Structure formats: structure tokens, C-alpha cells
Amino acid sequence: MDFSSRGAQPAANPVQPTGGPAARNNNKNVDKQDTWYRIGIIGSIVAVVILLIALIFFISANNSNLNNNESSYINKSKLQAVFLNTGQVYFGNISQLNNQFLVLKNIYYLQTGSNSSSSTAKASTNVTLVKLGCELHMPYDQMVINRSQVTFWENLQSNGQVAKAVASWEQQHPNGQQCSDQSASASTSSGSTTQNAGTTTKP
């Protein structure tokens, strides 16, 4: 009998590593998929940001073009009438126009007063053109108007009543408006603080 192998232990099966070639390939594939997924997400975000920037630039460029186009309609040699959504109308020269505000200079506005006659029992309405500047608060002859308040504006012809009244006032006041007389009587009568440019209409 051969006792030479009696004390020998059976050879143990070698332990196979848990991460075999197939597992390593799967992990590599998963890593590649995650990488491409992240790249796709980042690329999508960058594309959306670029699209938003382009859209904002396009809108601002269109607004600028619209404002430039609207400004081209201003006749610098004529007066403009600016109609507000409050019903107030101002006459003057538009010096600046954009989508936020409108700057008006050399400003006039209409003032209405009624005269009644006891013999006829009828009232007549006088519409007077007033030069801005001699009111109680003594404003400068410049007005910045919010564009949201402007209903529309238009150029005025030289042969209109407003343009004629303004021309007449400028001839009568070659040195500009003087408010000393009006301000002196401001404490007694607020109506005396305005200076008339001329009567435009008298029904």
C-alpha cells in the first residue's frame, strides 16, 4: 500500500477574483455611459443658455430698431404734440425718444377758462396756450415723460393755431419768459402765475 500520500491534503481550488474580465468590461461601459450622459446634460444646458442670450439680444435689437425708426419721424423744425393717457396734451419739441421715456422741451399746454354773461345767460369758453415755467413750483422748461403714459404724439404744421400762437409768443418775448411779475403775485392768486402765449380758440 502506498502511504506516501496519506497525510497530503487535497489541493484547494484557487479562488477566482470577483471582478473578472466581463465585470471589468461592464464597469467600463457603465462609466462611459455616465460620462456621455453628463456631457449630453452639460451640452443641453449650454445650448439653452446660448439660445436665451440670442433671444434677448434679438429682442433688444428689435426694440432699438423700433425706437430708431420712431425717432426718425420727429420733425426737428416743427413743434410736436404729446397726448397723455390722462387727457393732458403738451406741445413742444421732442429732443429724445426711446422705449422708456420721452424728453420734451420748449413746452406749452392748454388752459381753459369760462366767461359768463348775465345778460345772455350764456357761458363762453376761452382756451389759452400757456408757456411752462411760471407755475407755483417753477419747473424748468423740460419734461421727462414715461412712455407708458404717452398715448401718441404728432408733428404740428406751422399754419396751425398752436404753432402760430407759439411763434407770436416768441416774437413778443425775444429774451425768453420772465416770471418776476407772476411770482410776485403768486401768494394771492395762483392763476396769475401762468404766462399766456396767446389765445388759440375762442368758441
Side-chain angles (χ1 to χ4, degrees), residues 93-146:
N93 300 110
I94 297 176
S95 62
Q96 190 174 351
L97 179 66
N98 56 44
N99 61 346
Q100 295 181 343
F101 58 85
L102 178 153
V103 178
L104 190 68
K105 295 182 178 181
N106 188 30
I107 303 167
Y108 300 80
Y109 61 93
L110 297 176
Q111 189 175 65
T112 303
S114 60
N115 296 327
S116 61
S117 174
S118 59
S119 60
T120 59
K122 292 183 179 179
S124 62
T125 301
N126 294 330
V127 180
T128 306
L129 192 67
V130 179
K131 180 77 170 96
L132 181 72
C134 289
E135 289 75 12
L136 286 174
H137 57 295
M138 297 294 289
Y140 285 103
D141 194 10
Q142 174 176 293
M143 188 176 293
V144 180
I145 305 172
N146 195 315

Side-chain angles (χ1 to χ4, degrees), residues 41-194:
I41 293 295
I42 295 173
S44 300
I45 294 174
V46 171
V48 170
V49 170
I50 293 175
L51 183 62
L52 289 175
I53 293 174
L55 183 61
I56 293 172
F57 179 78
F58 177 77
I59 292 174
S60 61
N62 279 346
N63 288 336
S64 178
N65 290 334
L66 288 174
N67 292 327
N68 291 336
N69 291 336
E70 186 177 359
S71 298
S72 66
Y73 287 100
I74 300 174
N75 190 336
K76 298 293 185 180
S77 64
K78 305 293 182 182
L79 289 171
Q80 285 79 46
V82 179
F83 293 80
L84 306 185
N85 54 21
T86 59
Q88 179 67 52
V89 184
Y90 290 103
F91 306 98
N93 300 110
I94 297 176
S95 62
Q96 190 174 351
L97 179 66
N98 56 44
N99 61 346
Q100 295 181 343
F101 58 85
L102 178 153
V103 178
L104 190 68
K105 295 182 178 181
N106 188 30
I107 303 167
Y108 300 80
Y109 61 93
L110 297 176
Q111 189 175 65
T112 303
S114 60
N115 296 327
S116 61
S117 174
S118 59
S119 60
T120 59
K122 292 183 179 179
S124 62
T125 301
N126 294 330
V127 180
T128 306
L129 192 67
V130 179
K131 180 77 170 96
L132 181 72
C134 289
E135 289 75 12
L136 286 174
H137 57 295
M138 297 294 289
Y140 285 103
D141 194 10
Q142 174 176 293
M143 188 176 293
V144 180
I145 305 172
N146 195 315
R147 282 305 301 271
S148 63
Q149 302 296 316
V150 178
T151 304
F152 66 95
W153 65 270
E154 57 190 6
N155 296 303
L156 302 182
Q157 298 185 43
S158 300
N159 58 354
Q161 289 181 305
V162 171
K164 287 181 178 179
V166 170
S168 176
W169 187 91
E170 291 176 346
Q171 288 179 356
Q172 296 173 11
H173 302 83
N175 297 324
Q177 183 168 223
Q178 304 298 324
C179 300
S180 57
D181 295 337
Q182 289 82 358
S183 60
S185 59
S187 59
T188 58
S189 175
S190 61
S192 63
T193 61
T194 60

